[in-house]
Amino acid sequence: MELLVFLILFPALAALLFGVLPNSRLRDTIVVLVSAIIIAASLYLFVLFAGAGTVYFDIDGGMISQIMTGLEVIISAGLLYLAAKYRQYLIAGLVVVQLGVVLYAESLMHGTEALNNLFIDPFSVIMAMIIGIIGSLICIYSVGYMRDYHAHHAEMPDKRRWFFALLFVFLAAMFGVVFSNNLFWLFFFWEVTTLCSFLLIGYSWDEQARKNAFWALLLNLVGGLGFAFTFVWVGLTDPSGSLIMMDSLLAAGPAVAMIPAALIGFAGLTKAAQMPFSSWLVGAMIAPTPVSALLHSSTMVKAGVYVIVRFAPVYDASMVGYIISLVGGVTFLLASGIAISQSNAKKVLAYSTIANLGLVVACAGIGTYAAVWAAILLIVFHAVAKSLLFLSVGTVEHKIGSRDIEDMSGLISRMPRIALMMVIGIAGMFLAPFGMLISKWAALLAFLDAQFGFILILLLAFGSAVTVFFWTKWLGKLVAVAWKPEPLEVKISTYEFSALVPLTVLMVAVCIGFPLLSSELVVPYVFAIYGMAATLGQANVTIMLMMIFMVLIMPLSLFHFRKDRKVLSHYVGGRPSTPDMHFKGSIGVQRPVALGNYYLADYFGEKRLSHIGNGLCIAFIAMIAVTLLMGAAI
């Protein structure tokens, strides 16, 4: 238990220190040191609990719960002040209603102080590894990145003290989310992540950043309100408060747990940025890149899918679960389509994140053992690949002055090591046999056995085809060689490389070692719940390892990209082009040569597909409400 408490409290206490330390080498060194300790503690947690099954910890929650309630009141007061100052009256109303609902629900329940408020199981271990390792590497990366960030934005107030403090509060809250068995505690940490994301998205606090931050806050408060009504239901159903413990609620079965599972699932959809709530995550791209990486890979959005996967056994073979799957499936298809029309690399990554989380939600909604196995693998592979890609894009943006994919043409010539990392990250997202594709294959098998699964199979098949399109054209830009520009990579900070290199290694490691990950953590978790579990099979594992070896030849061959290579002129219309990409036309006029991707905005435009997706998903969520009201949820 001490280790779990340490992982929650240590980053929070470090955050207090970072809130007062000025910008200096001392602060930067302490950030690295604290991050290293969190990584070490996460690895030690894996060693201790990887094969231990589910372990509950008795902890007296009386005083802790009171402190959490007090902090919730303080946070609400702070949000009310900001909402009033910037005339965000709807947000103010939601804050008041949510706090009132929580306090009313707490008054209904008694006797939860001495129960198992904390726990750990293989799924918690996986999430803790993601938070501890990836989250900490993002913090290390931030040291170098934020220095460059303020060099590029000299007009902006330097608030790095608060920035680093919020990063570590974020990590502490995420550890709290995955270790809490008490739903009140989980909700408290859940809301802390909402607060931190609001402040981090609005870091620059200019008009657009403030607008996007308040929008993210509004949508997450809507989800939080759904979570809060869970407590009212529990308080009215079981005043003893035993059902406030997640294990008790899950053990009660769908007949008792379906309504709270649906309410928490709704909260998860908002936090995981599923349609119609996806716009907050796209707007969050205005924040510094480490924030984007943290929101997309290891914290905020993963909290959403985490709770949905937790309640997957309740959704199994139910109408509510199937409708949640449709929300995820439609989001996967349409968000993947929107990514085609984007040339802004961060927006491509944002829509890719929304899409892949949609696939996790689709699997969790189905709720079978095979679907849950696929969902957890998707979470792992996505977290590693997406953090690597976001951080790489952040570094590239600072060096070439653009985050546009078209401006990354020939990056393998200008920044070969960063480009190589991006190639590995992109390969991990869509190339066989890297992790994401294996997970999609597992999801496909799970959908085959589900009722009306053919609809989800269609959504998965067409969505995956679209995914290949936008990843391939980005990959082509990276490895294209059109001229011989000056190398830029020597100027990248040590902090950024210190995070990017381990993430690259981790990407390859989880792809190669995923059978071990599956057998040691995912299968035990799924088997403990369902009494059976999905596996790849020995023959498939052998084939997969052979394919990984062959596919790795491609990025590794880029190591031998010769600096003294001879670049031949392009042959255009019967005439050779010049080194600066011009050619002489038939009447002797020099014309520029431009090579660009198709974005097909008329077919895959953001506005058009968002409207379709939002409309469908609003209808699905309304169907869930109607289903619950009619008592036909199970």
Tab-separated table of all heavy atoms in Angstrom, residues 251-279:
chain	number	residue	atom	x	y	z
A	251	ALA	N	-19.463	-6.499	-8.810
A	251	ALA	CA	-19.886	-7.836	-8.396
A	251	ALA	C	-21.405	-7.948	-8.302
A	251	ALA	O	-21.954	-9.047	-8.377
A	251	ALA	CB	-19.256	-8.182	-7.046
A	252	ALA	N	-22.080	-6.812	-8.140
A	252	ALA	CA	-23.542	-6.837	-8.029
A	252	ALA	C	-24.209	-7.237	-9.339
A	252	ALA	O	-25.390	-7.623	-9.346
A	252	ALA	CB	-24.049	-5.470	-7.572
A	253	GLY	N	-23.484	-7.136	-10.460
A	253	GLY	CA	-24.020	-7.582	-11.740
A	253	GLY	C	-24.831	-6.518	-12.458
A	253	GLY	O	-25.166	-5.467	-11.883
A	254	PRO	N	-25.153	-6.786	-13.724
A	254	PRO	CA	-25.842	-5.786	-14.547
A	254	PRO	C	-27.188	-5.340	-13.991
A	254	PRO	O	-27.581	-4.185	-14.172
A	254	PRO	CB	-26.023	-6.507	-15.890
A	254	PRO	CG	-24.968	-7.560	-15.906
A	254	PRO	CD	-24.795	-8.000	-14.494
A	255	ALA	N	-27.916	-6.230	-13.314
A	255	ALA	CA	-29.231	-5.850	-12.813
A	255	ALA	C	-29.150	-4.678	-11.855
A	255	ALA	O	-30.061	-3.842	-11.784
A	255	ALA	CB	-29.883	-7.053	-12.124
A	256	VAL	N	-28.062	-4.595	-11.098
A	256	VAL	CA	-27.884	-3.498	-10.134
A	256	VAL	C	-26.996	-2.402	-10.728
A	256	VAL	O	-27.257	-1.210	-10.549
A	256	VAL	CB	-27.253	-4.046	-8.830
A	256	VAL	CG1	-26.926	-2.900	-7.876
A	256	VAL	CG2	-28.187	-5.036	-8.171
A	257	ALA	N	-25.948	-2.802	-11.442
A	257	ALA	CA	-24.897	-1.859	-11.813
A	257	ALA	C	-25.099	-1.180	-13.163
A	257	ALA	O	-24.306	-0.307	-13.526
A	257	ALA	CB	-23.547	-2.582	-11.821
A	258	MET	N	-26.146	-1.535	-13.913
A	258	MET	CA	-26.243	-0.996	-15.270
A	258	MET	C	-26.417	0.526	-15.300
A	258	MET	O	-25.776	1.219	-16.107
A	258	MET	CB	-27.404	-1.661	-16.015
A	258	MET	CG	-27.513	-1.216	-17.470
A	258	MET	SD	-25.979	-1.484	-18.408
A	258	MET	CE	-26.056	-3.260	-18.648
A	259	ILE	N	-27.273	1.064	-14.429
A	259	ILE	CA	-27.492	2.519	-14.461
A	259	ILE	C	-26.214	3.278	-14.085
A	259	ILE	O	-25.788	4.191	-14.820
A	259	ILE	CB	-28.674	2.909	-13.548
A	259	ILE	CG1	-29.973	2.391	-14.163
A	259	ILE	CG2	-28.733	4.416	-13.335
A	259	ILE	CD1	-31.210	2.665	-13.338
A	260	PRO	N	-25.554	2.955	-12.964
A	260	PRO	CA	-24.284	3.670	-12.702
A	260	PRO	C	-23.234	3.426	-13.776
A	260	PRO	O	-22.444	4.327	-14.092
A	260	PRO	CB	-23.836	3.117	-11.337
A	260	PRO	CG	-24.638	1.903	-11.099
A	260	PRO	CD	-25.922	2.070	-11.835
A	261	ALA	N	-23.213	2.208	-14.356
A	261	ALA	CA	-22.249	1.940	-15.427
A	261	ALA	C	-22.526	2.826	-16.641
A	261	ALA	O	-21.600	3.310	-17.295
A	261	ALA	CB	-22.297	0.472	-15.824
A	262	ALA	N	-23.816	3.037	-16.930
A	262	ALA	CA	-24.171	3.903	-18.062
A	262	ALA	C	-23.776	5.355	-17.779
A	262	ALA	O	-23.257	6.055	-18.667
A	262	ALA	CB	-25.662	3.799	-18.345
A	263	LEU	N	-24.014	5.809	-16.528
A	263	LEU	CA	-23.663	7.193	-16.170
A	263	LEU	C	-22.146	7.403	-16.207
A	263	LEU	O	-21.657	8.417	-16.718
A	263	LEU	CB	-24.207	7.521	-14.779
A	263	LEU	CG	-25.742	7.636	-14.676
A	263	LEU	CD1	-26.177	7.705	-13.212
A	263	LEU	CD2	-26.227	8.869	-15.435
A	264	ILE	N	-21.420	6.427	-15.673
A	264	ILE	CA	-19.954	6.540	-15.707
A	264	ILE	C	-19.444	6.401	-17.147
A	264	ILE	O	-18.483	7.054	-17.553
A	264	ILE	CB	-19.323	5.480	-14.774
A	264	ILE	CG1	-19.631	5.843	-13.316
A	264	ILE	CG2	-17.822	5.384	-14.980
A	264	ILE	CD1	-19.182	4.817	-12.302
A	265	GLY	N	-20.114	5.547	-17.920
A	265	GLY	CA	-19.748	5.426	-19.330
A	265	GLY	C	-19.937	6.748	-20.062
A	265	GLY	O	-19.099	7.127	-20.902
A	266	PHE	N	-21.007	7.461	-19.733
A	266	PHE	CA	-21.229	8.788	-20.331
A	266	PHE	C	-20.085	9.736	-19.962
A	266	PHE	O	-19.560	10.459	-20.823
A	266	PHE	CB	-22.565	9.349	-19.845
A	266	PHE	CG	-22.813	10.770	-20.255
A	266	PHE	CD1	-23.148	11.086	-21.568
A	266	PHE	CD2	-22.694	11.803	-19.331
A	266	PHE	CE1	-23.373	12.403	-21.949
A	266	PHE	CE2	-22.911	13.118	-19.703
A	266	PHE	CZ	-23.254	13.420	-21.014
A	267	ALA	N	-19.692	9.712	-18.683
A	267	ALA	CA	-18.565	10.554	-18.264
A	267	ALA	C	-17.294	10.152	-19.018
A	267	ALA	O	-16.496	11.010	-19.427
A	267	ALA	CB	-18.351	10.424	-16.759
A	268	GLY	N	-17.121	8.844	-19.208
A	268	GLY	CA	-15.946	8.367	-19.937
A	268	GLY	C	-15.933	8.836	-21.380
A	268	GLY	O	-14.880	9.158	-21.930
A	269	LEU	N	-17.109	8.881	-22.006
A	269	LEU	CA	-17.178	9.348	-23.398
A	269	LEU	C	-16.725	10.800	-23.525
A	269	LEU	O	-16.063	11.173	-24.495
A	269	LEU	CB	-18.607	9.201	-23.927
A	269	LEU	CG	-19.142	7.784	-24.129
A	269	LEU	CD1	-20.599	7.824	-24.588
A	269	LEU	CD2	-18.302	7.005	-25.135
A	270	THR	N	-17.096	11.622	-22.557
A	270	THR	CA	-16.673	13.032	-22.619
A	270	THR	C	-15.175	13.149	-22.390
A	270	THR	O	-14.473	13.872	-23.101
A	270	THR	CB	-17.415	13.884	-21.579
A	270	THR	OG1	-17.115	13.401	-20.264
A	270	THR	CG2	-18.899	13.842	-21.805
A	271	LYS	N	-14.680	12.430	-21.389
A	271	LYS	CA	-13.248	12.521	-21.069
A	271	LYS	C	-12.401	11.940	-22.202
A	271	LYS	O	-11.292	12.414	-22.470
A	271	LYS	CB	-12.978	11.780	-19.765
A	271	LYS	CG	-11.603	11.953	-19.200
A	271	LYS	CD	-11.408	13.299	-18.528
A	271	LYS	CE	-11.828	13.289	-17.086
A	271	LYS	NZ	-11.577	14.553	-16.400
A	272	ALA	N	-12.916	10.900	-22.867
A	272	ALA	CA	-12.175	10.274	-23.968
A	272	ALA	C	-12.410	10.986	-25.295
A	272	ALA	O	-12.000	10.490	-26.342
A	272	ALA	CB	-12.569	8.807	-24.090
A	273	ALA	N	-13.088	12.127	-25.256
A	273	ALA	CA	-13.280	12.977	-26.445
A	273	ALA	C	-13.970	12.232	-27.581
A	273	ALA	O	-13.584	12.361	-28.745
A	273	ALA	CB	-11.943	13.552	-26.912
A	274	GLN	N	-15.001	11.476	-27.241
A	274	GLN	CA	-15.773	10.819	-28.293
A	274	GLN	C	-16.827	11.777	-28.833
A	274	GLN	O	-17.270	12.684	-28.139
A	274	GLN	CB	-16.442	9.556	-27.722
A	274	GLN	CG	-15.444	8.510	-27.257
A	274	GLN	CD	-14.568	8.007	-28.389
A	274	GLN	OE1	-15.009	7.211	-29.203
A	274	GLN	NE2	-13.334	8.481	-28.458
A	275	MET	N	-17.225	11.580	-30.075
A	275	MET	CA	-18.268	12.432	-30.623
A	275	MET	C	-19.551	12.268	-29.803
A	275	MET	O	-19.856	11.145	-29.411
A	275	MET	CB	-18.522	12.064	-32.081
A	275	MET	CG	-17.369	12.446	-32.975
A	275	MET	SD	-17.686	12.003	-34.689
A	275	MET	CE	-16.280	12.793	-35.486
A	276	PRO	N	-20.253	13.332	-29.448
A	276	PRO	CA	-20.126	14.716	-29.916
A	276	PRO	C	-19.248	15.599	-29.035
A	276	PRO	O	-19.376	16.816	-29.082
A	276	PRO	CB	-21.572	15.197	-29.870
A	276	PRO	CG	-22.125	14.497	-28.662
A	276	PRO	CD	-21.465	13.139	-28.629
A	277	PHE	N	-18.372	15.000	-28.215
A	277	PHE	CA	-17.566	15.791	-27.286
A	277	PHE	C	-16.115	15.962	-27.764
A	277	PHE	O	-15.266	16.428	-27.014
A	277	PHE	CB	-17.570	15.125	-25.907
A	277	PHE	CG	-18.940	14.783	-25.394
A	277	PHE	CD1	-19.381	13.469	-25.354
A	277	PHE	CD2	-19.805	15.780	-24.977
A	277	PHE	CE1	-20.644	13.144	-24.895
A	277	PHE	CE2	-21.075	15.477	-24.515
A	277	PHE	CZ	-21.506	14.149	-24.481
A	278	SER	N	-15.818	15.544	-28.982
A	278	SER	CA	-14.435	15.485	-29.432
A	278	SER	C	-13.791	16.851	-29.641
A	278	SER	O	-12.560	16.962	-29.656
A	278	SER	CB	-14.356	14.686	-30.738
A	278	SER	OG	-15.200	15.252	-31.713
A	279	SER	N	-14.604	17.881	-29.778
A	279	SER	CA	-14.038	19.189	-30.151
A	279	SER	C	-13.109	19.753	-29.085
A	279	SER	O	-12.203	20.527	-29.396
A	279	SER	CB	-15.166	20.185	-30.447
A	279	SER	OG	-16.035	20.272	-29.340
